[in-house]
Amino acid sequence: GLPVTGFAHSTHYTQDLIRIADRSELTIAGKVSDRLVHKVSEGMPVEVYVPTLPNQLYHGTLTWIAPIPSAGAWYLPNDKHHRVQIMLEDGPEKLARLALGSTAEAAIVVDDRPDILQIPTDAVLSHAGEYVVIVRKEDRLHVRTVTLGESNDHTVEVLAGLEPGEDVLVEP
């Protein structure tokens, strides 16, 4: 037969031989745009979506925000962001489904107000110093002045000028 040779490995004091993850304290590292960081603060709730688990919603808390922004990629020198950490709060059974190192999308809940009227930001036009929308009513189009509230990248709150259920034109 062939001789069997072994490999000798040496270790040193306090060297990690194996690392076991503590799933009771899973943390997500992420970033928030420098333009939006003023809207968030530590302790805010976070909803986390993992693309590999499409029907699961995870919950967490924003636990840390870097005080100084980091530069973006070399090809986007003005794209600055603040690093953040989110602690996941779901039970161990639910967290066990997550693969360590997974990619996730997190939504920081900066305001939660039920029963507000929102429309797509693409529906709002600026005309003569006012915000207007085009409303379809009885097969006719009408220009209507609106008063706007808070907004995000996709929707804007309408404080006055529209009623729930009215149709607004999104693309002319």
Side-chain angles (χ1 to χ4, degrees):
L2 295 172
V4 177
T5 57
F7 293 99
H9 294 288
S10 60
T11 59
H12 58 82
Y13 183 69
T14 71
Q15 177 181 349
D16 287 342
L17 299 177
I18 186 171
R19 186 173 291 170
I20 300 173
D22 180 1
R23 290 193 178 264
S24 67
E25 294 188 13
L26 286 183
T27 302
I28 295 175
K31 58 185 179 179
V32 171
S33 169
D34 189 43
R35 293 174 285 123
L36 299 173
V37 75
H38 68 279
K39 293 186 175 188
V40 300
S41 59
E42 292 176 8
M44 286 184 156
V46 181
E47 295 176 346
V48 179
Y49 309 91
V50 179
T52 56
L53 300 169
N55 298 323
Q56 294 292 315
L57 173 65
Y58 291 88
H59 300 89
T61 300
L62 184 61
T63 57
W64 177 76
I65 305 166
I68 300 171
S70 301
W74 63 270
Y75 52 87
L76 294 170
N78 295 327
D79 181 31
K80 298 193 182 318
H81 59 269
H82 291 255
R83 296 191 185 279
V84 297
Q85 287 185 349
I86 300 162
M87 177 71 71
L88 292 176
E89 298 174 342
D90 296 294
E93 298 85 22
K94 190 171 183 178
L95 293 176
R97 296 181 200 138
L98 284 174
L100 299 178
S102 294
T103 299
E105 182 177 321
I108 301 170
V109 182
V110 296
D111 195 7
D112 187 11
R113 295 178 292 154
D115 302 324
I116 62 169
L117 181 59
Q118 289 182 317
I119 60 173
T121 54
D122 293 341
V124 180
L125 306 167
S126 179
H127 178 70
E130 296 182 317
Y131 293 113
V132 298
V133 296
I134 300 173
V135 179
R136 183 179 64 174
K137 193 170 189 177
E138 299 171 2
D139 294 331
R140 297 190 66 196
L141 299 177
H142 305 275
V143 176
R144 181 103 46 91
T145 301
V146 291
T147 304
L148 303 177
E150 296 292 322
S151 66
N152 60 28
D153 292 340
H154 309 289
T155 61
V156 61
E157 178 184 15
V158 178
L159 301 173
L162 279 179
E163 295 297 322
E166 289 187 300
D167 293 327
V168 294
L169 187 66
V170 176
E171 293 183 19

